[in-house]
Amino acid sequence: ADHAIGGISTTQHRYIASFLFDEREAADIDNSSILAIAKDGLEELKAVEPAFSKFEIVLFGENTLEMHRSTMTKQQSSSLDSTIKTFLRLISPFFMMKASHKCLEWLIRKYRINELNVDDLILSILPYHETVQFIRMIQIVFIPDQNSKWSFLHEVKKEARVVSRSFIAKRALADRSLIDGTFDCLEWMVIKHRDSEYKKPTTYISFFSMFLLDYINSLPKVELSHVLHLFPIALRLVKIKRVPECALSSFMIILALAQRYPVLSAESIADYIDFASRACPENLVPQLVITVARLVDFCYLSVPMIPSRAFNVLSRLPSFATVSHD
């Protein structure tokens, strides 16, 4: 079933959604030519990230020219969606490269990701919300109505307006799924980087950290429900080993949370210090010690001292004594 985008059916030949070309110009370019452009982009991406090679046949093979999503079985469609999600998350750190735009053009033309994979597409490019490229992509994305998760981007579509991070954070006040979606995307990228040496998602880590800090600061009042939502995120971030940026992100988030909700339980803080100490690399011990000191300072009413269980792990860290003395 073909959707209508902006009131114009995608089945009309005078209009074809395109990221690289004007919509009328795109209608004069056949699928073979778009695929050739995409293959050129894929070769460039493979040179900087070999993992892209596994998509060469399944998404960019010559056989895909004759493939149509509308004739797929439910199982085939589900498998394709999973492959597209993986590709979009993998391409996220490279979104500003022209090579990525070439590949995305094919995914839009052939697989209609701007209509059928909207969540995965927007989540993968959200850190670039202040760029022209993000605006261009949003202009061709199908956002059905005001009840959509992404309805706040309608102004971007209509007026090519940049959306600020604080605006996105305020939107999360009404829809916490924005936080869950971005964190799920980030966690996947970070673990893939850690375990498979994929490119580190530095941009995404920075965006998510500041997005969550903006969200916490935008809350009129931090309540227990917010803590139950955000504390596990901070805990999961600090448990990720060999990616120090995740620990630093977690330190900022937990301190922002404790400052607004200074009655975190002793058990919660003990758990946090315990896991943070076990995963902390030696070069981050100073930051961890400062974080622990500030945590206890903020929550002195509920946590008058560092819980002994947590302190036993913390004190065994290399250079802990020297850092604490300094």
Side-chain angles (χ1 to χ4, degrees), residues 29-236:
I29 306 174
D30 63 19
N31 285 3
S32 296
S33 299
I34 297 295
L35 179 58
I37 292 171
K39 285 187 171 184
D40 179 60
L42 189 65
E43 288 301 315
E44 292 181 55
L45 289 175
K46 283 163 57 182
V48 294
E49 177 53 82
F52 280 108
S53 60
K54 66 182 180 182
F55 300 97
E56 194 164 7
I57 302 300
V58 67
L59 291 181
F60 300 92
E62 291 293 333
N63 62 308
T64 61
L65 282 168
E66 305 303 321
M67 189 185 74
H68 297 282
R69 292 192 74 159
S70 58
T71 62
M72 286 184 173
T73 64
K74 186 176 181 179
Q75 185 176 1
Q76 289 173 327
S77 182
S78 178
S79 177
L80 177 63
D81 284 338
S82 178
T83 302
I84 288 173
K85 175 188 279 192
T86 301
F87 182 83
L88 290 173
R89 289 182 172 186
L90 184 59
I91 209 172
S92 177
F94 307 95
F95 178 63
M96 297 304 292
M97 290 178 60
K98 188 70 174 178
S100 298
H101 305 163
K102 294 176 181 179
C103 292
L104 290 169
E105 180 71 12
W106 173 245
L107 297 188
I108 291 164
R109 171 68 69 92
K110 188 63 191 178
Y111 305 109
R112 296 161 56 197
I113 62 168
N114 57 313
E115 298 177 61
L116 304 177
N117 302 91
V118 173
D119 278 6
D120 294 325
L121 175 58
I122 296 181
L123 285 171
S124 70
I125 66 173
L126 199 56
Y128 308 94
H129 56 91
E130 292 185 322
T131 67
V132 173
Q133 290 82 357
F134 178 83
I135 293 171
R136 174 61 187 155
M137 183 63 80
I138 294 303
Q139 286 183 312
I140 62 172
V141 164
F142 177 63
I143 301 174
D145 53 46
Q146 294 299 324
N147 296 321
S148 166
K149 177 196 299 185
W150 308 110
S151 59
F152 70 97
L153 295 174
H154 274 302
E155 291 302 312
V156 177
K157 285 175 68 71
K158 292 178 182 177
E159 302 178 19
R161 182 186 298 174
V162 169
V163 58
S164 68
R165 190 183 63 238
S166 60
F167 183 76
I168 299 173
K170 287 176 182 175
R171 174 62 184 176
L173 295 178
D175 184 2
R176 293 188 196 177
S177 68
L178 276 174
I179 296 174
D180 297 330
T182 50
F183 178 66
D184 179 64
C185 203
L186 169 64
E187 190 174 38
W188 185 94
M189 292 179 194
V190 167
I191 291 173
K192 282 291 184 182
H193 159 72
R194 184 195 65 188
D195 297 342
S196 310
E197 295 304 313
Y198 285 9
K199 182 177 174 63
K200 185 186 294 182
T202 306
T203 301
Y204 216 107
I205 296 172
S206 298
F207 163 75
F208 182 77
S209 303
M210 300 312 296
F211 164 52
L212 220 54
L213 292 181
D214 284 347
Y215 169 75
I216 293 170
N217 290 329
S218 298
L219 289 166
K221 180 183 179 182
V222 176
E223 299 177 349
L224 180 59
S225 62
H226 300 119
V227 175
L228 294 176
H229 185 208
L230 300 178
F231 182 80
I233 290 176
L235 201 58
R236 283 163 67 177

Side-chain angles (χ1 to χ4, degrees), residues 261-297:
Y261 192 85
V263 287
L264 292 175
S265 70
E267 184 179 358
S268 295
I269 289 181
D271 285 343
Y272 186 85
I273 296 172
D274 190 345
F275 287 116
S277 301
R278 294 178 191 278
C280 186
E282 186 171 355
N283 63 320
L284 288 189
V285 172
Q287 287 88 340
L288 175 59
V289 170
I290 291 170
T291 299
V292 171
R294 295 298 288 158
L295 262 179
V296 177
D297 186 30

